[in-house]
Amino acid sequence: MARTGSASTAAGPTLAVVAREAGVSVPTASKVVNGRQDVAPETRRRVTEALNRLGYVRRPRFGDGRMPHLVDLVVPSLEESGSGAVLHGAEEAAHDAGLEIVVSTATRRGRPEGPERSWLDRLVVRGSSGVLFHLTGPSAPQRRWLEQHRIPFVVIDPVLDPPADVVSVGAANWQGAVTATEHLLSLGHGRIAVITGERSTASGDARLAGYHSALVAAGARHRAEYVRHAAHDAAAARHRTRALLDLPEPPTAVFVCSDRMAPGVYGALAERGLRVPDDLSVVGFDDLPEARWLTPALTTVRRPRSEMAATALRLLLRMADGHRPESTRTELSTRLVERASTAPPGSRPGAHG
């Protein structure tokens, strides 16, 4: 697997600059670059002269026999545990397609107009077939830059809803939350709390909606005090769990909308001399490696990160060959992984107080 270096190479003019120089639209200039025949001879001549005069870099198309074939993968951090599964899925799919993966971290992207433009410049110079973004997509200026250079991109597992015309691959967050809540209901829990992410994130909103839907479908009582928002970290979850345990009628189970928060729930229980699942059943979401490291191991909803990355790469290569997906949103199924952190409610309903 290749990784980005620190060198910077200046890219040539954008297609928009070429179009402006030739006095045509960007789509018309793109037709000339791609060898389309539906362009008037005089227009083709002007665009070709502008391309040559300005030194426009023609990006090689995937499958044209020119090597190497590269795809860029941009991740938030290489230290984030979920990135490993994304890298694995993308690398396997890239290997099957005879490609190399170039990995960058989001902190290095900068603004296309600013001094940290080197990552985008290198993208064109090395002839990348496209870009996979994990969690966060390009900014508006970066997106315009990619579109001008005819570099397709796909967002994997976006945190926020991307624009309607941006291609993305995600997980069935709503259905996964329904499954998690139904699992607790099936064990006999009627007092089920949820610790979800901060407001106004696509995944967090979907998981909270799934939790509510499962309660409504089961005729279970909805309690506003059982809904807690927190950042996806253990410290915030520990604080929220303490508050839940201090309620006059505390929950017997909690759905934690990220595995990263589960250690905080376990820690808050240990402070009170309580145990999982004897005193509180816990279900997570993601199936990150740390879910198996907890004691007891965490029952959780598996989000198929490797499969999402592989699917995104295959979509990207089709886009690089000029095929636009019928739908801009692809959603893969989640599934419940049952471990030891859930059980029927204990015989001491007041033991949490």
Side-chain angles (χ1 to χ4, degrees):
M1 179 182 292
R3 297 184 184 273
T4 53
S6 59
S8 174
T9 304
T14 66
L15 197 61
V17 172
V18 172
R20 186 165 60 248
E21 177 74 11
V24 300
S25 66
V26 172
T28 298
S30 177
K31 288 180 181 181
V32 175
V33 170
N34 288 307
R36 294 271 296 272
Q37 299 302 309
D38 53 337
V39 180
E42 176 59 22
T43 301
R44 183 182 303 279
R45 181 190 63 78
R46 294 203 316 272
V47 173
T48 300
E49 288 179 354
L51 290 167
N52 295 333
R53 184 166 59 252
L54 297 174
Y56 179 77
V57 179
R58 290 170 169 81
R59 187 176 64 85
R61 289 171 60 81
F62 177 74
D64 67 356
R66 296 160 69 179
M67 293 293 287
H69 293 314
L70 301 173
V71 169
D72 279 68
L73 172 62
V74 181
V75 298
S77 169
L78 293 173
E79 297 178 356
E80 197 264 333
S81 57
S83 293
V86 171
L87 290 172
H88 176 74
E91 186 178 28
E92 282 203 337
H95 176 77
D96 292 342
L99 294 165
E100 294 290 337
I101 296 285
V102 178
V103 182
S104 304
T105 56
T107 56
R108 299 297 301 165
R109 281 184 277 143
R111 294 179 293 108
E113 301 89 344
E116 295 182 8
R117 178 173 160 167
S118 60
W119 174 78
L120 291 167
D121 290 339
R122 289 197 300 271
L123 204 66
V124 172
V125 171
R126 63 177 169 251
S128 181
S129 295
V131 187
L132 298 173
F133 291 96
H134 180 218
L135 296 181
T136 58
S139 65
Q142 290 167 345
R143 180 183 171 189
R144 289 193 298 269
W145 194 94
L146 291 167
E147 290 170 347
Q148 288 171 359
H149 286 78
R150 300 171 289 112
I151 300 176
F153 64 90
V154 177
V155 183
I156 304 168
D157 200 19
V159 174
L160 300 176
D161 283 326
D165 59 341
V166 169
V167 177
S168 65
V169 178
N173 289 296
W174 180 87
Q175 185 57 57
V178 169
T179 302
T181 309
E182 286 178 342
H183 170 66
L184 294 171
L185 289 165
S186 71
L187 292 173
H189 292 279
R191 306 203 306 267
I192 303 171
V194 61
I195 303 177
T196 186
E198 296 174 325
R199 291 174 174 84
S200 300
T201 64
S203 58
D205 290 349
R207 293 172 199 177
L208 182 58
Y211 159 82
H212 283 141
S213 295
L215 292 181
V216 170
R221 179 182 171 189
H222 166 67
R223 306 178 189 226
E225 67 271 22
Y226 280 4
V227 178
R228 305 285 166 152
H229 291 269
H232 282 189
D233 62 70
R238 182 186 293 250
H239 181 71
R240 302 298 185 272
T241 304
R242 290 170 182 153
L244 289 169
L245 295 175
D246 288 337
L247 290 172
E249 192 173 22
T252 61
V254 60
F255 168 37
V256 186
C257 289
S258 170
D259 290 350
R260 293 187 188 88
M261 296 193 284
V265 177
Y266 280 48
L269 288 170
E271 291 173 353
R272 308 286 179 96
L274 304 175
R275 296 182 300 176
V276 177
D278 304 57
D279 299 291
L280 189 75
S281 285
V282 183
V283 177
F285 202 108
D286 282 331
D287 197 24
L288 296 174
E290 46 262 51
R292 299 186 293 275
W293 303 339
L294 290 171
T295 302
L298 182 67
T299 294
T300 188
V301 175
R302 181 178 181 271
R303 191 156 46 128
R305 293 174 184 253
S306 292
E307 292 89 336
M308 284 191 284
T311 299
L313 186 134
R314 289 190 287 268
L315 281 171
L316 184 71
L317 296 185
R318 285 186 54 79
M319 292 168 64
D321 269 340
H323 303 284
R324 183 73 178 175
E326 291 184 5
S327 173
T328 57
R329 170 72 175 181
T330 300
E331 199 167 85
L332 303 187
S333 298
T334 56
R335 66 179 178 86
L336 185 73
V337 180
E338 293 189 47
R339 297 193 178 102
S341 67
T342 54
S347 58
R348 299 175 296 140
H352 307 286

